[in-house]
Amino acid sequence: MTAVRGQGSPVVQLATGRLRGRQEEGIAVFRGVPYAAPPVAELRWRAARPHPGWNGTRDATSYGPSAPQMFTEGGDPVLGGHGSPPFDDDCLTLNVWTPAPDEARRPVLVWIHGGGFVSGSGSLPVYSGETFARDGDLVVVTLNYRLGPLGYLSFDDEEGTPDQPSNLWLTDQLAALRWVHENIDRFGGDPANVTVAGQSGGAVSTAALAGHPEARQLLRRVILQSPPFGLYAPTRAEYRERVDAYLRCAGVADVGELRRLPWERLVGAAGGLFAHTARWGHWPTPFLPVRDGVTLDRHPAQTLLEDAAADIDVLIGWTREEANFAFALDPAYAAATREQVLGRIALGFGEAAAPDVYAAYTCSRPGAGPAEVLMDLITDELFRVPSLRLAEARAELGRPVWAYQFDFPAPAYGGRLGAAHCLELPFVFDNFERWGHAPLVAGIEPTVGAGLARSMHQAWIAFARTGDPNHTDLPRWDRYRTGARTTMRFDSVTLPVDDLAGHARRLHGRRLPARE
């Protein structure tokens, strides 16, 4: 027996020790389960290592601490916050929701949160797996992993190890996926039927896992929500400048000094790196995935086109106005001039083409001013066009891929946010009651929101169960193919559209060659 009952609570025996969870409205929940050794002291800035286990029965009814990150009391004007205390270095835990810890071998959904590589937590109520477990008969796993300087920087240290990975965050996620493979059957899950899903930075993580030689054997399909594949993935040598800049921001000379600092000092120094790397008209991303030749050989998007990863089922999509999330409420960007935006366009298209590209954007959105053109440009560069290119490339290879665009606009702030980055999340999880703190969802009409949430939530469930997102309450959703380019348009009326983002695809075909 791998699961027993104890004092009315579900109990599961793992190789590392026994866990006692909690029964919540028919769902068994196990929180704060360690999946790797605490990355503290000498293990700080080292790859994730196996957890040594524990004696007796471990209480698994409370979330573990979230990864250290910046935190502002009162949150932000869009999400209302994306991480909350407690925070701690010892953060490598995961959470499991299951209809029952039995031998049913249910499909497994692993969720990787986003947050620009600097924020977020698998312990946030908005990412609770209960709706997927209950509505889809799935076993759901969410996880915490190292963020910001603790997860996205690495240092040459006294050992001089040549294969020290740069992407410590990826070693965490790989350790969690390995834990799922080895243990999820004890929670009623099927380790041979695992879907990994992620949004924003979490979608980049998901793609990186799909291309990792070990991880690709541990998952069957992926869901990529708003992946910022337009970000450049530097080499270790190219990233060195940021590592050195961070050391200066922290006021130390080497990693030995950093290991002696409290995490609060480390997170505080990240603010200096934000300032150091900021560029007008670009999404702020001081920390990036690195092509280190150890954990990541190529850009994460490329990993889904090569070797065994090409056979993984892929669902990919974006929101219509992704960049509004970061720019629409900023007065400095609202006051952007045509000349400023032309200069930003010229970075990708060249000065000669910039006026024509500007005109093309104003034609695609009548009445658009410089700020709207800029936001559409950033949306295309960072999210929509790179996602389209991945869908196109997989379609040309004959590999399975489904594409969507989320078009439903947020009424908040007089509609200025539009269909912004992150807005699809409460619809995918179908848990609006957990989003009351987020201004982003304020004013959404309940009946419209419920219908759209049902369509998306059930599509994600169907895909996790079978590799096909179609279900009875959704119009027929065909795979993306170069001949038809079917893209599901999720809105108050949801319909498949042929080549929905064709304007952006054709326009950005004129861009200057990229660095990579």
Side-chain angles (χ1 to χ4, degrees):
M1 291 288 292
T2 60
V4 295
R5 305 287 293 183
Q7 299 179 347
S9 301
V11 176
V12 171
Q13 180 68 53
L14 309 179
T16 48
R18 179 174 283 202
L19 292 171
R20 176 175 288 115
R22 176 179 293 159
Q23 201 74 17
E24 298 180 2
E25 298 182 9
I27 300 296
V29 187
F30 298 82
R31 296 182 171 91
V33 181
Y35 67 82
V40 300
E42 289 305 307
L43 293 187
R44 186 184 271 180
W45 287 298
R46 299 198 189 280
R49 300 186 181 183
H51 195 277
W54 55 88
N55 296 319
T57 300
R58 183 185 180 99
D59 180 81
T61 60
S62 299
Y63 289 118
S66 298
Q69 57 195 271
M70 296 179 179
F71 175 73
T72 302
E73 198 70 47
D76 65 84
V78 180
L79 289 182
H82 194 234
S84 56
F87 304 117
D88 197 80
D89 289 57
D90 183 1
C91 62
L92 301 187
T93 62
L94 53 76
N95 316 294
V96 182
W97 288 261
T98 177
D102 52 25
E103 299 178 359
R105 298 184 75 83
R106 298 171 180 86
V108 180
L109 177 65
V110 177
W111 173 258
I112 302 180
H113 72 80
F117 314 129
V118 296
S119 74
S121 171
S123 305
L124 288 172
V126 295
Y127 299 139
S128 169
E130 66 173 293
T131 53
F132 279 111
R134 179 176 295 111
D135 302 337
D137 195 31
L138 303 174
V139 177
V140 183
V141 179
T142 67
L143 58 132
N144 295 338
Y145 57 93
R146 282 174 282 182
L147 300 169
L150 289 162
Y152 287 81
L153 295 179
S154 74
F155 304 88
D156 298 327
D157 60 22
E158 63 278 1
E159 293 183 2
T161 308
D163 60 351
Q164 170 72 9
S166 296
N167 302 299
L168 300 173
W169 55 276
L170 189 55
T171 72
D172 297 346
Q173 295 165 7
L174 177 59
L177 200 56
R178 194 181 294 126
W179 184 96
V180 168
H181 182 74
E182 295 170 353
N183 296 285
I184 207 64
D185 61 330
R186 294 168 173 82
F187 297 85
D190 182 358
N193 191 7
V194 174
T195 298
V196 180
Q199 186 263 349
S200 193
V204 173
S205 297
T206 299
L209 285 169
H212 190 282
E214 179 186 354
R216 74 174 58 140
Q217 308 301 320
L218 306 179
L219 59 89
R220 191 164 177 179
R221 55 188 68 94
V222 296
I223 301 175
L224 309 173
Q225 297 175 216
S226 301
F229 284 152
L231 290 173
Y232 182 65
T235 65
R236 189 195 297 264
E238 291 170 329
Y239 201 57
R240 182 70 207 188
E241 190 276 333
R242 293 199 184 199
V243 174
D244 291 341
Y246 178 79
L247 288 171
R248 292 193 298 272
C249 293
V252 300
D254 56 38
V255 67
E257 291 186 57
L258 282 178
R259 285 201 174 100
R260 293 191 289 272
L261 294 181
W263 65 257
E264 291 89 347
R265 285 274 305 278
L266 303 175
V267 170
L273 196 59
F274 265 95
H276 175 76
T277 58
R279 293 186 297 161
W280 190 89
H282 291 81
W283 202 293
T285 49
F287 302 98
L288 294 167
V290 177
R291 289 178 287 135
D292 61 355
V294 180
T295 52
L296 197 60
D297 290 327
R298 54 188 70 85
H299 192 288
Q302 289 296 116
T303 65
L304 287 163
L305 302 175
E306 302 173 9
D307 304 323
D311 290 323
I312 292 172
D313 298 323
V314 175
L315 178 77
I316 187 169
W318 54 90
T319 71
R320 186 179 60 202
E321 288 122 352
E322 298 271 10
N324 290 31
F325 175 95
F327 300 97
L329 303 183
D330 188 329
Y333 284 104
T337 67
R338 185 176 185 275
E339 288 68 30
Q340 284 178 303
V341 177
L342 284 170
R344 176 65 176 80
I345 293 172
L347 296 177
F349 291 84
E351 290 186 12
D356 288 343
V357 173
Y358 187 99
Y361 272 112
T362 58
C363 287
S364 66
R365 194 202 286 204
E372 289 76 24
V373 170
L374 176 65
M375 285 183 276
D376 286 349
L377 173 75
I378 297 169
T379 293
D380 283 346
E381 281 185 346
L382 194 54
F383 299 99
R384 181 161 33 226
V385 172
S387 295
L388 279 170
R389 287 177 179 151
L390 176 59
E392 290 275 317
R394 285 186 63 90
E396 289 173 0
L397 294 171
R399 304 301 188 180
V401 58
W402 281 262
Y404 73 88
Q405 177 171 295
F406 183 85
D407 277 22
F408 186 82
Y413 298 106
R416 281 186 286 162
L417 291 172
H421 191 65
C422 293
L423 184 56
E424 89 285 4
L425 287 168
F427 296 88
V428 165
F429 279 82
D430 196 7
N431 63 353
F432 272 89
E433 70 281 1
R434 296 184 180 272
W435 288 80
H437 65 288
L440 179 64
V441 304
I444 293 176
E445 204 281 317
T447 57
V448 174
L452 180 53
R454 184 168 55 252
S455 294
M456 295 194 78
H457 184 59
Q458 291 298 328
W460 267 234
I461 287 171
F463 187 80
R465 295 191 64 84
T466 69
D468 186 327
N470 284 283
H471 60 87
T472 55
D473 294 331
L474 191 72
R476 176 67 192 174
W477 187 354
D478 291 327
R479 284 167 50 173
Y480 189 98
R481 293 182 172 87
T482 53
R485 297 187 171 92
T486 301
T487 305
M488 187 61 73
R489 178 179 180 266
F490 284 105
D491 202 341
S492 52
V493 176
T494 294
L495 292 170
V497 179
D498 183 10
D499 205 13
L500 175 60
H503 173 268
R505 179 176 57 82
R506 290 185 293 271
L507 180 61
H508 282 257
R510 302 164 54 187
R511 282 177 60 85
L512 298 172
R515 287 196 284 172
E516 230 181 313

